[in-house]
Structures are given as structure tokens and as C-alpha cells.
Amino acid sequence: MSDQDPLPPLEWDPQGVQIQGFSAGLYQIEWLLVTIVMLYLVIMGLPDEGGLGVLTATFGYFGFSLLASRLYFFGEKQRWLLALHTWAMIVFITWFLYNTEGVTGPLASLYLLAVVTSALTLGVLVTMLEVAAIAACQLLLLHLLGTHILTTANLAPVGTSIVALLIVGYLTAALVDAIHVSNRTLLKMASRDALTGLFNRRAFDDLAKPIHLMARRSGRPYCVIAMDMDGLKRINDTKGHGAGDQAIRGLTQRLVECKRSSDVLARYGGDEFVMLLPDTNAAGGRNMMQRLVNAVKDDKLSISVGVASYPEQGESLEELLDHADNAMYFSKASGGNRVSIRAVA
């Protein structure tokens, strides 16, 4: 993977992924349904009664799907529109079966398309509700077509069909949930540091870029903080790497306690951490870090901190990181356990 490859979403949003990623697939399923219906009508011919209505409903349903695909209906909070499509699919299939061969015909299995669509996008609960609605539609069709419902010969195919739909819907939804769990785990591994649970370097860069762009548009300041533990090598050499890891986790806890919800905190590598403080000038960043330096003394830890602020010390994020890093090394060279802001020459 190259350095230019974008980082995937840092938090897995299954609903958003389902809606945005499946909208094109939904239209293809709807058009497949229309194609199957049209092929059936070409081969078998229009029914003697209600043939014009079936044709009108087919073209109307296709027009509905085509219009929806051009208007880009599906946004992050428009999940109900996707559910509307699946319910419209059930209604269309029921109308078509009513005017052709009913639930005993070869196209009764078309309900599978609606169930699979729902299972892929809307979850188990909605899918089970739709299967229940399909069962009601099938019983209604038997009644409207003058069939005696309460007979084994008539209930057996309907019951078998419903059981098949339940199994397919449940297994498909369960598979989708398993895929989301796997993706959530992979994204966490890709964006989080294993020892501290903080964002890693690439995740920090990905989160910092939009904050920088927003600051450029609004003219508001922000700070970049670079910090490094003093004497971690000595801890590792004298007490072992386990003690060093424990010291890093202790500092992490202090950092999490001092950061605001809007701040971005990451472990950049080794014992080096970085923070980005939106809407904070150099003086605010220095004061905040000085409180942190005083707090970690209680844990018998020492850190060297460098602060760089936008726009005084750089017009790009890379410049600010360099200046913060240089200021951090100045703190370390000055004895450590301090905060520095280096003036730009």
C-alpha cells in the first residue's frame, strides 16, 4: 500500500456502509425482478384478465426504481427509503402473482429477492417482519383466488416457502453481521496502536488534515504538540521492557485525562506522542502541556514537550510537525521535563 492510499474510515459504520454501498446493488436487483417478469410475460403471454394492469404495474415499478437511481435518494439518515424499496418490491410481486398463477406458480420464489435485499441492508428484525408480511400476502392470495386455506395441500407449499424465506433471511443477515464484525476489527488494527489503544501515526495524519483545512478556511488557530518520554531506555535497561510498556501506558492515561473531546491524540512511535489541539493558540497549548508535565511528576515520569501553532509557525501540517518535533528535542537537550516553543527563524 502506497503512502498516497487513503485510510479507510476510522470507525466502522455498518448502517452507513450498508446503505451507501448497496444502493447500486438494490437497483440492479429491482431491474432483475422487472426483467424476470417481462420474460415471463413474453413467454407465457399476458393474462386474459388484468393483463393491462400487470403491464402498467411493471412499467410503473421500473419507472419508480429508475427515478430513485437518478435522484440519489440514499443518504446516511435515509434508511427508511431503502426499506420503502423492499416493501414496494413485496407489493409489486404480490400484485403480479395475484394476476398470474398465484403462490403456486413458478414465480412465487421472487419474494426471495425482497428478503435478501432486506437482509443485506436492514438487519434481522426488519427482515423477519418482511417475511411475516410475505406470509400474510401469500395467505391473502390464496383467499382472493378462492382457495380453501385451511387444508394441508394448500398450507404445505406456503409453509415450506415461508420457512425457506426465514432461513435465507436469517442466514444472510447473520453473514452480513459477521462481515461487519470482521471489518470493525480490521479497521481497529489498521488505525489503533496495539499497546496504548490510541490512534497510530497514519490515523493521526488522516484526522489532522481536515482540521488543518478547516483552520485555513476559518483563520482560526490550532496547536500541534510533540512529546517524548525522558529516560525510557533507562527504564527498559534496568527494569525490563515490561516496566517500559507500563510507563508508556501510564503516560497514555495521563494524556487521555488531560485531552479535550475535540483534541486528536496518537502514539507516533516508540515513546513519542503527538496531539492536535483545535482552536488553541501557542500560549494555550503551552499552558495545557505544562499542567501535564506537572501531573506526570506524580507518576515519577518525565516528558519533553514541543509546541508549534498555526499559522505563526507554519502554513502546512508538515511544517508544524517539524517545528513541534524540533521544540521537543530542544526541551530534551535542555534537561527534559519541560515545554518549549521554538521561534521560527
Side-chain angles (χ1 to χ4, degrees), residues 8 31 35-36 64 80-81 109-110 112 123 149 214 219 224 229 272 276-277 284 286 293 299-300 305 314-315:
W31 299 339
T35 301
I36 293 173
F64 162 74
W80 65 272
L81 285 172
S109 59
L110 287 176
L112 276 171
I149 298 176
M214 187 177 297
V224 173
M229 293 185 65
E272 185 175 356
L276 188 148
L277 313 180
R286 180 168 190 165
V293 168
D299 302 327
K300 299 181 180 180
V305 183
E315 290 293 328

Side-chain angles (χ1 to χ4, degrees), residues 161-293:
S161 172
I162 294 304
V163 170
L165 292 176
L166 284 171
I167 293 174
V168 170
Y170 179 80
L171 290 180
T172 303
L175 177 61
V176 171
D177 287 341
I179 291 173
H180 286 315
V181 170
S182 298
N183 285 332
R184 189 180 294 110
T185 302
L186 290 173
L187 283 177
K188 184 176 181 180
M189 293 172 62
S191 61
R192 297 281 180 171
D193 172 63
L195 177 63
T196 63
L198 301 178
F199 287 120
N200 59 22
R201 179 170 185 162
R202 187 170 186 183
F204 175 86
D205 293 343
D206 190 69
L207 290 168
K209 288 175 183 177
I211 296 176
H212 173 74
L213 293 176
M214 187 177 297
R216 288 185 60 181
R217 289 194 297 268
S218 64
R220 300 183 68 85
Y222 71 88
C223 276
V224 173
I225 310 293
M227 65 194 81
D228 192 272
M229 293 185 65
D230 300 324
L232 180 63
K233 185 178 184 304
R234 176 180 53 79
I235 295 175
N236 287 332
D237 291 343
T238 59
K239 299 181 179 180
H241 288 279
D245 290 345
Q246 185 60 39
I248 291 175
R249 285 192 289 264
L251 176 58
T252 299
Q253 182 61 37
R254 287 290 190 179
L255 288 169
V256 170
E257 290 172 355
C258 84
K259 72 181 286 292
R260 303 167 302 183
S261 60
S262 59
D263 298 336
V264 181
L265 170 64
R267 184 186 179 196
Y268 230 46
D271 56 349
E272 185 175 356
F273 297 81
V274 291
M275 289 183 70
L276 188 148
L277 313 180
D279 296 320
T280 306
N281 58 24
R286 180 168 190 165
N287 291 338
M288 180 177 176
M289 290 300 102
Q290 189 59 56
R291 290 194 297 270
L292 175 66
V293 168

Side-chain angles (χ1 to χ4, degrees), residues 77-97:
K77 298 182 179 179
Q78 294 175 310
R79 190 177 182 81
W80 65 272
L81 285 172
L82 199 150
L84 175 64
H85 274 256
T86 61
W87 287 105
M89 193 181 301
I90 292 173
V91 172
F92 171 67
I93 294 170
T94 302
W95 173 257
F96 173 75
L97 294 177

